[in-house]
Amino acid sequence: DLCNQLLLGHLPMLVKPEAKDVFVLGLASGMTAGAVLDYPVQHLDIAENCDAVVSASRLFDDWNHHALDDPRTHLWQEDARTVLTLRPQKYDVIISEPSNPWFVGIGSVFSREFYQLTASRLKPGGIMTQWFHIYETQDNILDLVLRTFCSVYPNVEIWDTGAGDIILLGSMQPWPTGPEIFQKSFAIDRVRTDMWMIDIQSP
């Protein structure tokens, strides 16, 4: 999942490199958080409610740029929906990196209500990012997720990571995208290093 975890952080930041406030649902290995911290963000909130995942992420510190030790990072050991509901903070980018959708309790972060919640926590022009696993998933379930996401976010990109997964970018407003936009971020050493790890060598 290296490609997925890095692109989850990089894709929204490539189109919004000026983002200052970012929220990540799910810590996992910390690679997504580390990718976000490649950029000059000011504040990264991570919601992870599993203590074992937080402990295990430390095994990846050399690959996630010690994301949890970065002074810009705040870890909320709480359900992401609770954090987003109770805090008035608005974000430039929200990234949803849940477990596989067939796990108990995960379906709620693919719901219209959750997407409406994330939309209410985005700044104008903010980007919502959703990872979805299309392997071992029926087409009608994929159709349902796409319809639900698009029912809240009228502007959407779908990225195929080539490994049985897709990444959705959504916003209430259109955003500039493409190689010319990505070029700015490829000037950052850590961004280029991450991209080379997954054999992406240019915008």
Side-chain angles (χ1 to χ4, degrees):
D1 279 334
L2 177 64
C3 183
N4 294 314
Q5 291 181 41
L6 288 177
L7 288 178
L8 266 172
H10 284 295
L11 287 174
M13 297 303 297
L14 285 170
V15 297
K16 205 161 185 64
E18 75 284 1
K20 301 302 180 187
D21 299 293
V22 179
F23 182 91
V24 175
L25 181 163
L27 176 62
S29 67
M31 296 286 285
T32 298
V36 169
L37 292 167
D38 289 350
Y39 300 81
V41 300
Q42 294 178 352
H43 184 231
L44 171 64
D45 279 332
I46 304 170
E48 176 54 66
N49 61 2
C50 180
D51 291 340
V53 170
V54 175
S55 298
S57 73
R58 289 295 187 177
L59 299 173
F60 297 89
D61 276 351
D62 289 343
W63 291 273
N64 66 31
H65 308 301
H66 295 262
L68 290 181
D69 298 322
D70 192 297
R72 296 171 292 170
T73 298
H74 183 91
L75 175 66
W76 297 87
Q77 292 192 253
E78 180 61 83
D79 182 81
R81 293 162 300 180
T82 301
V83 176
L84 290 172
T85 300
L86 298 181
R87 297 187 71 245
Q89 174 73 46
K90 298 272 189 173
Y91 297 95
D92 299 292
V93 171
I94 295 176
I95 300 169
S96 181
E97 183 181 16
S99 297
N100 300 69
W102 50 83
F103 279 74
V104 173
I106 297 300
S108 62
V109 299
F110 296 99
S111 68
R112 179 176 171 82
E113 291 75 17
F114 177 71
Y115 294 140
Q116 289 172 328
L117 173 60
T118 59
S120 74
R121 290 296 179 262
L122 285 175
K123 298 178 188 179
I127 301 286
M128 170 63 184
T129 309
Q130 175 73 70
W131 182 6
F132 187 67
H133 317 71
I134 59 176
Y135 57 88
E136 299 183 20
T137 299
Q138 296 176 348
D139 287 349
N140 62 332
I141 300 298
L142 174 59
D143 290 345
L144 175 62
V145 170
L146 293 176
R147 281 200 312 273
T148 305
F149 191 83
C150 293
S151 74
V152 174
Y153 291 104
N155 302 279
V156 174
E157 287 183 354
I158 303 174
W159 289 78
D160 182 354
T161 66
D165 301 84
I166 58 173
I167 295 174
L168 309 177
L169 300 185
S171 181
M172 304 307 288
Q173 297 85 24
W175 64 89
T177 187
E180 298 80 9
I181 302 298
F182 303 160
Q183 185 67 51
K184 179 179 179 181
S185 297
F186 269 76
I188 302 172
D189 288 341
R190 272 179 40 171
V191 172
R192 289 198 309 274
T193 299
D194 280 359
M195 291 299 189
W196 273 80
M197 288 175 65
I198 54 177
D199 202 29
I200 297 175
Q201 301 175 11
S202 75

